[in-house]
Amino acid sequence: MATIETGFVFSLKEKIEYSKNSVVSQQVIKSKAGNITLFAFDKDEQLSEHSAPFDAALQVLDGEALIHIARQPHVVKEGEMIILPANIPHEVYATTAFKMMLTMIKG
C-alpha cells in the first residue's frame, strides 16, 4: 500500500478505483499521530467485525454502506460521516459499491 505523494491537489473519489468482488485500499498519509486511508468496496463486499485501539472517522465519498457499531446498524451515504469509537467492535458492509475515507487518530 503506497502512500500518496504530498504537495499535489487530488480528488478523493478519483484517487481510488473499484475492483470487481474486492475491497481496495490506498494509504493517503501515515504518521505517528495517525493515518488516512481510502477504500473502495464493490457491492456486497465487507470488512468483518473488528475493533481498533483508536477512534476513527469514516466518511463516505461515493455510494452507501451499512456500518455496525457494537452490533447497532447505521446507514451512511455519500457526504456523510460516522465516528468509530476506540475498542468498540464495528463492521462495514457495502450495500452499493462505495468509497470511503478512514481517518484514524492515535491518542
Side-chain angles (χ1 to χ4, degrees):
M1 184 173 10
T3 300
I4 295 173
E5 191 172 348
T6 60
F8 295 95
V9 175
F10 60 92
S11 164
L12 292 170
K13 265 173 105 167
E14 295 173 7
K15 196 62 180 174
I16 192 160
E17 297 296 325
Y18 292 110
S19 182
K20 188 165 179 65
N21 301 318
S22 297
V23 177
V24 179
S25 65
Q26 169 70 52
Q27 194 165 63
V28 175
I29 192 165
K30 182 176 183 174
S31 75
K32 292 178 183 176
N35 58 61
I36 300 172
T37 307
L38 300 176
F39 290 86
F41 290 69
D42 196 13
K43 184 180 184 313
D44 296 324
E45 292 297 317
Q46 66 181 21
L47 293 179
S48 57
E49 187 176 71
H50 64 284
S51 61
F54 307 106
D55 289 337
L58 184 158
Q59 180 180 359
V60 177
L61 306 172
D62 187 38
E64 179 179 300
L66 177 62
I67 312 296
H68 282 89
I69 301 173
R71 301 210 168 122
Q72 182 176 6
H74 305 273
V75 175
V76 187
K77 301 176 184 175
E78 181 175 344
E80 297 180 334
M81 175 183 266
I82 190 166
I83 304 300
L84 306 174
N87 302 310
I88 303 296
H90 57 271
E91 61 185 294
V92 178
Y93 176 77
T95 54
T96 70
F98 93 104
K99 295 179 181 181
M100 71 179 204
M101 178 174 66
L102 186 70
T103 304
M104 186 173 294
I105 306 298
K106 297 180 179 178

